[in-house]
Amino acid sequence: MLVGFWHNENWTRNQKLLYKIYDLTMHVFGITYISLSAVGIYRSRHDLTAALAGVDKALVAYNFMFKIIVFHFRKDQLKKLVKEMIASGDVVPENHKILMAKLSVATTITSTIIVVIFTGSSMMVGDLPARVWLPFDISKSFMHLLAGVQFCLVIFAIPVCYRGLALQCFVSTLIFYLRDQLIDLQDKFKELENFQNVETELRRNFKKIVKKHIRLIRYSKEMDYLLREYFLIQNVAFTTEVCMNAVILTLIGFSQKTLAINFIAFLITALIHAFVYCYLGDEIIEQSEGISFAAYNTSWTSWPIDMQKNLLTVIIAAQSHLKLTAGGMAVMSLETYAQTLYNGYSIFAVLADAVH
């Protein structure tokens, strides 16, 4: 709500209207920032190092903003999916809720620290933290520089940075929820052993398991459909980030230690963010495959024939593992993470040859 995702359903019409204006204002600020940064990068095109450094810094904003735009068009469908998950009655372990909250806070604090370091180090040398075109000359006085920095933070902090971080945490939470419910489904198969001697209870619990499995398959497909553009942008941005950081560090070396450390910090952050998505995507694949093993490990040999046939259907369905994809082209997994790193290095090698 605070970063412009969606409003409270209990608000009045006027409150919803004001919130819509706030939401649109955030979009205008974000688009303004990426537009001004594009102009600023273009104006520094004659200085290769400065231009590449500008692209590398702006890439974070482009990554966040493009994903925010994708989310804007999928917002109503995602909201409907979240409501259905809440109404399903699925239980999320309390420690996992706390874990996701801590990860969200830690990600936000870490990113804020990096932005503050970039801003402070840039102001010390009389420059803006990013290549942004402004209608006044920041080199005239410290007040001009301070005004430029404040302007950049206003149109970048909440509209782009915190909104993008909140969106990352939201998507990660959705995937984590799906992972938890797949694990819960495996546990429910194990609990069927407690009803071996009571056929009525066995049938009732098995029916609940099948219904939940079908529901989770549908959730997975909906999430893949709604988030595939989001993950495609993430993978492209991550590949570019790895490549650009490698090129810049090669060009400047460690002669500019402060700048090099900042770029390394940004690279590490990008590596962590991409790893979280790929790790969770890998967990979805692994846990969905685990359902077939859990189903097979039940004492199905003593079940009635009709239940054995139904269990076979569940096993066959579970062997087609659930997955999340980037644009329907690459599966979000640790293998894709490694491939993305390799692609980034390959592009860097080509660029390095071209530069030298």
Side-chain angles (χ1 to χ4, degrees):
M1 185 184 70
L2 294 177
V3 295
F5 279 3
W6 50 66
H7 55 71
N8 192 314
E9 294 293 337
N10 299 323
W11 283 357
T12 64
R13 182 179 178 182
N14 289 336
Q15 287 176 319
K16 291 178 180 178
L17 178 61
L18 286 173
Y19 188 82
K20 188 173 183 180
I21 294 172
Y22 167 73
D23 183 18
L24 291 174
T25 302
M26 293 296 100
H27 281 293
V28 171
F29 280 178
I31 293 172
T32 300
Y33 179 82
I34 63 175
S35 300
L36 293 179
S37 65
V39 174
I41 293 168
Y42 177 76
R43 287 167 64 91
S44 62
R45 65 190 183 278
H46 300 298
D47 185 346
L48 180 61
T49 303
L52 289 176
V55 171
D56 186 71
K57 292 179 182 178
L59 188 61
V60 177
Y62 292 167
N63 178 22
F64 281 165
M65 198 59 209
F66 287 144
K67 289 192 290 191
I68 289 168
I69 292 171
V70 167
F71 171 79
H72 179 75
F73 289 105
R74 301 292 193 186
K75 181 165 62 174
D76 292 338
Q77 293 166 287
L78 282 167
K79 188 176 181 180
K80 183 180 177 182
L81 178 61
V82 170
K83 284 185 175 180
E84 189 176 343
M85 289 175 174
I86 294 172
S88 67
D90 291 334
V91 178
V92 178
E94 196 63 33
N95 61 323
H96 286 183
K97 292 181 183 179
I98 296 172
L99 174 63
M100 289 308 298
K102 287 182 177 179
L103 287 175
S104 301
V105 172
T107 301
T108 304
I109 291 175
T110 303
S111 300
T112 302
I113 291 172
I114 292 174
V115 171
V116 169
I117 291 173
F118 255 105
T119 304
S121 60
S122 299
M123 289 185 68
M124 288 176 64
V125 295
D127 198 3
L128 294 174
R131 292 282 168 183
V132 178
W133 177 83
L134 295 174
F136 52 87
D137 188 0
I138 61 171
S139 62
K140 283 188 176 180
S141 67
F142 178 76
M143 294 306 295
H144 281 75
L145 174 62
L146 186 60
V149 170
Q150 289 175 340
F151 177 77
C152 290
L153 290 177
V154 166
I155 64 174
F156 172 74
I158 295 178
V160 179
C161 183
Y162 290 127
R163 214 177 192 194
L165 290 173
L167 183 55
Q168 286 191 345
C169 297
F170 169 73
V171 172
S172 299
T173 303
L174 283 182
I175 304 172
F176 207 86
Y177 158 83
L178 183 59
R179 168 192 174 274
D180 275 353
Q181 298 312 310
L182 290 170
I183 293 174
D184 179 66
L185 207 57
Q186 296 176 45
D187 293 336
K188 290 187 182 300
F189 269 113
K190 296 175 184 177
E191 292 172 3
L192 289 177
E193 300 295 327
N194 301 327
F195 308 104
Q196 286 298 113
N197 300 323
V198 186
E199 185 177 328
T200 306
E201 289 294 319
L202 180 64
R203 286 181 177 277
R204 189 175 68 178
N205 283 277
F206 180 65
K207 186 177 181 180
K208 288 181 180 179
I209 290 173
V210 172
K211 283 185 176 180
K212 182 169 183 175
H213 188 211
I214 293 171
R215 181 162 52 82
L216 293 180
I217 291 173
R218 181 166 55 82
Y219 286 172
S220 173
K221 290 183 177 179
E222 287 186 27
M223 286 171 61
D224 180 41
Y225 171 73
L226 296 174
L227 298 174
R228 55 177 52 190
E229 292 89 358
Y230 177 94
F231 288 130
L232 178 62
I233 294 169
Q234 170 65 35
N235 278 14
V236 171
F238 176 54
T239 302
T240 310
E241 184 79 28
V242 171
C243 173
M244 294 301 298
N245 271 275
V247 170
I248 292 169
L249 289 172
T250 301
L251 289 175
I252 67 174
F254 282 92
S255 57
Q256 304 178 42
K257 292 182 180 179
T258 304
L259 188 61
I261 291 172
N262 286 338
F263 281 121
I264 291 173
F266 256 103
L267 177 60
I268 292 172
T269 304
L271 290 170
I272 293 173
H273 286 177
F275 177 80
V276 169
Y277 285 134
C278 291
Y279 171 77
L280 290 176
D282 208 67
E283 279 288 294
I284 296 298
I285 295 172
E286 184 178 341
Q287 300 304 333
S288 64
E289 288 177 343
I291 291 175
S292 61
F293 293 106
Y296 182 76
N297 287 330
T298 58
S299 301
W300 56 268
T301 52
S302 60
W303 291 8
I305 298 299
D306 62 319
M307 287 187 65
Q308 291 184 18
K309 291 180 179 179
N310 291 335
L311 184 69
L312 179 60
T313 303
V314 172
I315 293 173
I316 293 172
Q319 286 176 344
S320 298
H321 57 253
L322 308 182
K323 62 182 182 294
L324 300 172
T325 63
M329 296 181 289
V331 178
M332 297 300 292
S333 64
L334 293 178
E335 182 180 351
T336 300
Y337 181 76
Q339 184 62 46
T340 305
L341 283 173
Y342 175 77
N343 292 340
Y345 174 77
S346 300
I347 298 171
F348 156 69
V350 173
L351 287 177
D353 289 340
V355 170
H356 293 295

